[in-house]
Amino acid sequence: VLLALGPWDVYQDDSGDWHARNLLRPDGAVANITDLGDFRDGRSDHVRAIEVTGSTEIDIYDIALTFPGPPNVVTIRIVAQMPYDHDSGDWPNTHNYLCDARYTSDDYRIGLYYDTADDKFKVFINGADRLESAAQTFDAGDWCEIVVVLNFDDDNYVLYIDGLEVDTDSTSLTVPYAINWKIGTDYNGSNGGDFVIQEYQIFFVELSAAAVSGINGRDLRARWMDVLCEVAQPWAPDGTPGDRGVVASLVADGDARWRSRDGDVHVWDITSGADDETVTVDSDDDVYPVLRLTPKQAKTAGYAYRRWVPVIWTVDAAYSKYPYMLGTFDTAALVTASKAQADGDDWRVVVDGSETDRWFGDSGTAQFNQTATKTWVNLDFQAGWEGTLEAAIGSGDTVDSIDVNEDISGAASSGILVAYHGASYEAFTYTGKNETERRFTGVSRAARGTSALALSADDSVYWVQHDVWVLYGNASATAPSQDDDYKPIFDLGDSTNTSWVYEEFGEDDGLRTGAWTEYGDTYTGNRGVNANPWIEIGVDGGDQQSNRMKLYNPCGITNGSFTNGEKWVDAEDPGSSRVGVVQSSQNGSTWTDEYNVPEPASTETWEAWSRNEALASGARYLSLMGDWDSGADYDETYLEASDCTVTLDSSNTPTHEIGNEQGNYTLDCVIENTA
């Protein structure tokens, strides 16, 4: 059993005897503890305390805690539970000592006690009571924190109770030696007070009033940290592993930062475009700023409105520049309300703080200033993460962490979560995670303009990989500069997030997103020629295997509908019954024949073909492959399609919400730490 009394261990040996050892000097002398009373432990507000009864004393004289030198400055801090009411007749003595240290006489003595005659705490220093509190009115079971600060250099002596200064003294005194030093009684063990002492600490520094106030109510005993064994290997003192033990490398489990403080408030009025401010921090710990920026003028220009659009990617694969549609939006209503320009020049998409290229649908109601405007962007995704809540969260609950039922190693170390209860959702931001506990930490709820919900255990929760906003409402905005080299290749008016409609299939530079790719002998124009952009997907047959045009989508492809296709075969040796084949694949290497495209009825004649084909379950690739023959005599074939509609697996395609319209104030600034 380990008791942390400030910087000391209190422990029991094999014989049942109790001892104390200075943690700062573990190889030094060990003090014996006589007649230890009840040992209190638990997980309450006050833990691991010693009850010091009338027959119990803790002698710490032997632990090298006597004044070395002696010191000219010393601070004593003691946290104790009162055993009786302040005016009870049950107190065992008139002077009930919490601690005492004495040399050869009272002229060399420092003692802290409770005086039942005056109902006061008093400090006896070198022959007289030098410090005392006001009359006390505590009840049995109340806790009291007493700090005595003694500076014999400056003749400055202060008594604090529960963080507040209650008395001072400036008598010129000589620092005493101390030999008999006890906790819970006086120096000779005859005036104990039955206190439960939780903490007792000695500092050879003068604590300031601010420091005393800062530590008041805090548990300054040894902290306990969960650790995990990362590596264990045989002990090898000479380089040769032996059987005398193991060496374990440990890593901290979770957040190992324990210290906190309320912090200082520093107001900085920035009056120019470039300004600087110096903040002096009075702390020995690492200190980090929390910045709260308050604009001092009302917004008069710029983008007046914004909507948050959380995009949820759940696929277990990553993808770079995935073409995705945000919407649809009734932009016609916004134009009518004078909230957006009719040409859409002020319609912008910001991803993780940076504006990105966006493209509108190019036909019908998918265009801008229509009732169902489609806004297309390219997004990069890592493998997705989704889970379920371990416990319910009330709409009024204060939340600083979220536990889930699933492994969270696939989620980012900080970011955004969206939790669903039915069709309603709430956004949470988090700053850390504990993978062992399956816990997201540093959580703030009702983020991004959402409202706090009553969430149930097992409700779905998703990692949102990007912070996506749509901005609008800037009458002076001109058309954005866009890089159309990366514009999605499929038709942006007719396509959706679950159906990509191809009238063009790619470009020679390979930059257009959502494009098909070539392998072997292929062509991209009509009837065997090449074009840029690719207006056809065409494959040559012959003596080379696996000439194909193929499309990959990590979300899965369930159907491929080829239309306006043509096929051709020469007259040499029509030994095959097919001119090509529609195929699918899960991994891009093992292919499944889905539909054999039959040879034309006539040789050397272009003949139309079409096919709407459902693909095998789990397919992520769709391919149009030309037929082939081995040997000297082979059919020369051409197979092409000028249109194709690809249906994606709707159970895996990313989804999104369109948040409520919010006012927008974009504050453009850079804050630099130059210290």
Side-chain angles (χ1 to χ4, degrees), residues 42-66:
R43 291 287 182 179
S44 59
D45 291 338
H46 299 278
V47 299
R48 290 188 293 274
I50 288 179
E51 181 179 1
V52 184
T53 65
S55 61
T56 302
E57 62 185 55
I58 302 177
D59 190 339
I60 57 176
Y61 159 64
D62 292 329
I63 325 175
L65 287 173
T66 54

mmCIF file of all heavy atoms in Angstrom, residues 42-66:
data_model
loop_
_atom_site.group_PDB
_atom_site.id
_atom_site.type_symbol
_atom_site.label_atom_id
_atom_site.label_comp_id
_atom_site.label_asym_id
_atom_site.label_seq_id
_atom_site.Cartn_x
_atom_site.Cartn_y
_atom_site.Cartn_z
ATOM 1 N N GLY A 42 -9.402 5.289 -1.588
ATOM 2 C CA GLY A 42 -10.620 5.317 -2.373
ATOM 3 C C GLY A 42 -10.497 6.252 -3.546
ATOM 4 O O GLY A 42 -9.429 6.711 -3.898
ATOM 5 N N ARG A 43 -11.637 6.576 -4.149
ATOM 6 C CA ARG A 43 -11.659 7.447 -5.312
ATOM 7 C C ARG A 43 -12.545 8.652 -5.069
ATOM 8 O O ARG A 43 -13.161 9.189 -5.971
ATOM 9 C CB ARG A 43 -12.182 6.680 -6.533
ATOM 10 C CG ARG A 43 -11.201 5.619 -7.007
ATOM 11 C CD ARG A 43 -10.005 6.224 -7.688
ATOM 12 N NE ARG A 43 -9.082 5.220 -8.176
ATOM 13 C CZ ARG A 43 -7.962 5.486 -8.826
ATOM 14 N NH1 ARG A 43 -7.633 6.737 -9.045
ATOM 15 N NH2 ARG A 43 -7.182 4.519 -9.236
ATOM 16 N N SER A 44 -12.655 9.096 -3.812
ATOM 17 C CA SER A 44 -13.487 10.244 -3.483
ATOM 18 C C SER A 44 -12.668 11.512 -3.618
ATOM 19 O O SER A 44 -11.566 11.516 -4.133
ATOM 20 C CB SER A 44 -14.037 10.096 -2.061
ATOM 21 O OG SER A 44 -12.960 10.007 -1.148
ATOM 22 N N ASP A 45 -13.223 12.634 -3.128
ATOM 23 C CA ASP A 45 -12.519 13.906 -3.238
ATOM 24 C C ASP A 45 -11.212 13.888 -2.463
ATOM 25 O O ASP A 45 -10.247 14.540 -2.833
ATOM 26 C CB ASP A 45 -13.398 15.053 -2.726
ATOM 27 C CG ASP A 45 -14.578 15.306 -3.651
ATOM 28 O OD1 ASP A 45 -14.470 14.906 -4.824
ATOM 29 O OD2 ASP A 45 -15.568 15.884 -3.191
ATOM 30 N N HIS A 46 -11.182 13.167 -1.338
ATOM 31 C CA HIS A 46 -9.983 13.119 -0.509
ATOM 32 C C HIS A 46 -9.608 11.656 -0.340
ATOM 33 O O HIS A 46 -10.395 10.865 0.171
ATOM 34 C CB HIS A 46 -10.233 13.768 0.846
ATOM 35 C CG HIS A 46 -10.599 15.220 0.725
ATOM 36 N ND1 HIS A 46 -9.663 16.208 0.582
ATOM 37 C CD2 HIS A 46 -11.802 15.837 0.683
ATOM 38 C CE1 HIS A 46 -10.273 17.384 0.487
ATOM 39 N NE2 HIS A 46 -11.565 17.176 0.541
ATOM 40 N N VAL A 47 -8.427 11.286 -0.774
ATOM 41 C CA VAL A 47 -8.043 9.881 -0.824
ATOM 42 C C VAL A 47 -6.680 9.693 -0.186
ATOM 43 O O VAL A 47 -5.916 10.631 0.018
ATOM 44 C CB VAL A 47 -8.016 9.370 -2.276
ATOM 45 C CG1 VAL A 47 -9.381 9.498 -2.897
ATOM 46 C CG2 VAL A 47 -6.992 10.158 -3.098
ATOM 47 N N ARG A 48 -6.398 8.426 0.106
ATOM 48 C CA ARG A 48 -5.112 8.002 0.633
ATOM 49 C C ARG A 48 -4.669 8.881 1.806
ATOM 50 O O ARG A 48 -3.664 9.576 1.743
ATOM 51 C CB ARG A 48 -4.059 7.998 -0.483
ATOM 52 C CG ARG A 48 -4.281 6.898 -1.512
ATOM 53 C CD ARG A 48 -3.131 6.821 -2.470
ATOM 54 N NE ARG A 48 -3.044 7.987 -3.319
ATOM 55 C CZ ARG A 48 -3.703 8.134 -4.460
ATOM 56 N NH1 ARG A 48 -4.500 7.178 -4.858
ATOM 57 N NH2 ARG A 48 -3.558 9.205 -5.186
ATOM 58 N N ALA A 49 -5.453 8.895 2.871
ATOM 59 C CA ALA A 49 -5.133 9.721 4.039
ATOM 60 C C ALA A 49 -4.813 8.838 5.237
ATOM 61 O O ALA A 49 -5.215 7.684 5.319
ATOM 62 C CB ALA A 49 -6.308 10.635 4.374
ATOM 63 N N ILE A 50 -4.078 9.419 6.194
ATOM 64 C CA ILE A 50 -3.781 8.733 7.455
ATOM 65 C C ILE A 50 -4.598 9.378 8.555
ATOM 66 O O ILE A 50 -4.611 10.597 8.698
ATOM 67 C CB ILE A 50 -2.285 8.824 7.799
ATOM 68 C CG1 ILE A 50 -1.492 7.931 6.852
ATOM 69 C CG2 ILE A 50 -2.027 8.440 9.234
ATOM 70 C CD1 ILE A 50 -0.014 7.983 7.102
ATOM 71 N N GLU A 51 -5.307 8.543 9.329
ATOM 72 C CA GLU A 51 -6.001 9.055 10.499
ATOM 73 C C GLU A 51 -5.022 9.052 11.672
ATOM 74 O O GLU A 51 -4.512 8.009 12.079
ATOM 75 C CB GLU A 51 -7.220 8.196 10.827
ATOM 76 C CG GLU A 51 -7.983 8.720 12.038
ATOM 77 C CD GLU A 51 -9.206 7.881 12.331
ATOM 78 O OE1 GLU A 51 -9.435 6.898 11.618
ATOM 79 O OE2 GLU A 51 -9.928 8.225 13.271
ATOM 80 N N VAL A 52 -4.730 10.228 12.180
ATOM 81 C CA VAL A 52 -3.767 10.361 13.271
ATOM 82 C C VAL A 52 -4.545 10.461 14.572
ATOM 83 O O VAL A 52 -5.129 11.490 14.893
ATOM 84 C CB VAL A 52 -2.877 11.593 13.067
ATOM 85 C CG1 VAL A 52 -1.815 11.656 14.159
ATOM 86 C CG2 VAL A 52 -2.212 11.532 11.701
ATOM 87 N N THR A 53 -4.606 9.367 15.315
ATOM 88 C CA THR A 53 -5.348 9.349 16.577
ATOM 89 C C THR A 53 -4.436 9.762 17.720
ATOM 90 O O THR A 53 -3.249 10.051 17.537
ATOM 91 C CB THR A 53 -5.911 7.948 16.836
ATOM 92 O OG1 THR A 53 -4.818 7.050 17.020
ATOM 93 C CG2 THR A 53 -6.759 7.488 15.661
ATOM 94 N N GLY A 54 -4.978 9.770 18.907
ATOM 95 C CA GLY A 54 -4.184 10.171 20.055
ATOM 96 C C GLY A 54 -2.985 9.279 20.278
ATOM 97 O O GLY A 54 -1.992 9.693 20.876
ATOM 98 N N SER A 55 -3.047 8.024 19.836
ATOM 99 C CA SER A 55 -1.934 7.110 20.051
ATOM 100 C C SER A 55 -1.051 6.975 18.812
ATOM 101 O O SER A 55 -0.182 6.126 18.767
ATOM 102 C CB SER A 55 -2.471 5.720 20.424
ATOM 103 O OG SER A 55 -3.270 5.213 19.369
ATOM 104 N N THR A 56 -1.330 7.790 17.792
ATOM 105 C CA THR A 56 -0.599 7.679 16.533
ATOM 106 C C THR A 56 0.276 8.902 16.328
ATOM 107 O O THR A 56 -0.157 10.031 16.538
ATOM 108 C CB THR A 56 -1.569 7.562 15.339
ATOM 109 O OG1 THR A 56 -2.396 6.430 15.547
ATOM 110 C CG2 THR A 56 -0.801 7.406 14.036
ATOM 111 N N GLU A 57 1.486 8.659 15.899
ATOM 112 C CA GLU A 57 2.356 9.763 15.521
ATOM 113 C C GLU A 57 3.207 9.318 14.346
ATOM 114 O O GLU A 57 3.489 8.126 14.183
ATOM 115 C CB GLU A 57 3.256 10.183 16.681
ATOM 116 C CG GLU A 57 4.202 9.082 17.135
ATOM 117 C CD GLU A 57 4.998 9.477 18.355
ATOM 118 O OE1 GLU A 57 4.370 9.856 19.360
ATOM 119 O OE2 GLU A 57 6.235 9.403 18.289
ATOM 120 N N ILE A 58 3.563 10.266 13.523
ATOM 121 C CA ILE A 58 4.466 9.992 12.412
ATOM 122 C C ILE A 58 5.721 10.799 12.657
ATOM 123 O O ILE A 58 5.695 12.028 12.640
ATOM 124 C CB ILE A 58 3.834 10.380 11.058
ATOM 125 C CG1 ILE A 58 2.520 9.615 10.856
ATOM 126 C CG2 ILE A 58 4.788 10.102 9.914
ATOM 127 C CD1 ILE A 58 1.799 9.971 9.597
ATOM 128 N N ASP A 59 6.821 10.107 12.932
ATOM 129 C CA ASP A 59 8.082 10.764 13.241
ATOM 130 C C ASP A 59 8.907 10.846 11.967
ATOM 131 O O ASP A 59 9.319 9.825 11.417
ATOM 132 C CB ASP A 59 8.828 9.956 14.304
ATOM 133 C CG ASP A 59 10.034 10.711 14.851
ATOM 134 O OD1 ASP A 59 10.508 11.635 14.159
ATOM 135 O OD2 ASP A 59 10.483 10.372 15.959
ATOM 136 N N ILE A 60 9.107 12.071 11.474
ATOM 137 C CA ILE A 60 9.841 12.222 10.229
ATOM 138 C C ILE A 60 11.207 12.854 10.455
ATOM 139 O O ILE A 60 11.837 13.351 9.532
ATOM 140 C CB ILE A 60 9.037 13.057 9.213
ATOM 141 C CG1 ILE A 60 8.691 14.433 9.791
ATOM 142 C CG2 ILE A 60 7.778 12.342 8.789
ATOM 143 C CD1 ILE A 60 7.980 15.315 8.790
ATOM 144 N N TYR A 61 11.664 12.780 11.668
ATOM 145 C CA TYR A 61 12.971 13.366 11.968
ATOM 146 C C TYR A 61 14.088 12.687 11.165
ATOM 147 O O TYR A 61 15.030 13.327 10.699
ATOM 148 C CB TYR A 61 13.241 13.249 13.468
ATOM 149 C CG TYR A 61 14.704 13.348 13.831
ATOM 150 C CD1 TYR A 61 15.409 14.530 13.593
ATOM 151 C CD2 TYR A 61 15.365 12.270 14.400
ATOM 152 C CE1 TYR A 61 16.750 14.616 13.925
ATOM 153 C CE2 TYR A 61 16.699 12.356 14.730
ATOM 154 C CZ TYR A 61 17.403 13.531 14.486
ATOM 155 O OH TYR A 61 18.715 13.618 14.808
ATOM 156 N N ASP A 62 13.997 11.378 10.983
ATOM 157 C CA ASP A 62 15.085 10.628 10.355
ATOM 158 C C ASP A 62 15.105 10.723 8.831
ATOM 159 O O ASP A 62 15.945 10.113 8.196
ATOM 160 C CB ASP A 62 14.990 9.140 10.730
ATOM 161 C CG ASP A 62 15.270 8.923 12.206
ATOM 162 O OD1 ASP A 62 16.062 9.703 12.755
ATOM 163 O OD2 ASP A 62 14.691 7.992 12.775
ATOM 164 N N ILE A 63 14.194 11.456 8.234
ATOM 165 C CA ILE A 63 14.111 11.434 6.770
ATOM 166 C C ILE A 63 14.869 12.599 6.141
ATOM 167 O O ILE A 63 14.598 12.990 5.029
ATOM 168 C CB ILE A 63 12.648 11.480 6.299
ATOM 169 C CG1 ILE A 63 11.743 10.706 7.248
ATOM 170 C CG2 ILE A 63 12.504 10.875 4.933
ATOM 171 C CD1 ILE A 63 10.298 10.829 6.882
ATOM 172 N N ALA A 64 15.774 13.156 6.863
ATOM 173 C CA ALA A 64 16.575 14.273 6.361
ATOM 174 C C ALA A 64 15.696 15.458 6.007
ATOM 175 O O ALA A 64 15.963 16.192 5.067
ATOM 176 C CB ALA A 64 17.403 13.854 5.151
ATOM 177 N N LEU A 65 14.621 15.639 6.761
ATOM 178 C CA LEU A 65 13.758 16.797 6.541
ATOM 179 C C LEU A 65 14.026 17.880 7.577
ATOM 180 O O LEU A 65 13.298 18.841 7.666
ATOM 181 C CB LEU A 65 12.287 16.382 6.596
ATOM 182 C CG LEU A 65 11.820 15.595 5.380
ATOM 183 C CD1 LEU A 65 10.417 15.081 5.595
ATOM 184 C CD2 LEU A 65 11.878 16.453 4.138
ATOM 185 N N THR A 66 15.032 17.673 8.425
ATOM 186 C CA THR A 66 15.429 18.756 9.314
ATOM 187 C C THR A 66 16.007 19.883 8.489
ATOM 188 O O THR A 66 16.457 19.679 7.371
ATOM 189 C CB THR A 66 16.465 18.247 10.314
ATOM 190 O OG1 THR A 66 17.543 17.653 9.585
ATOM 191 C CG2 THR A 66 15.865 17.225 11.245
#
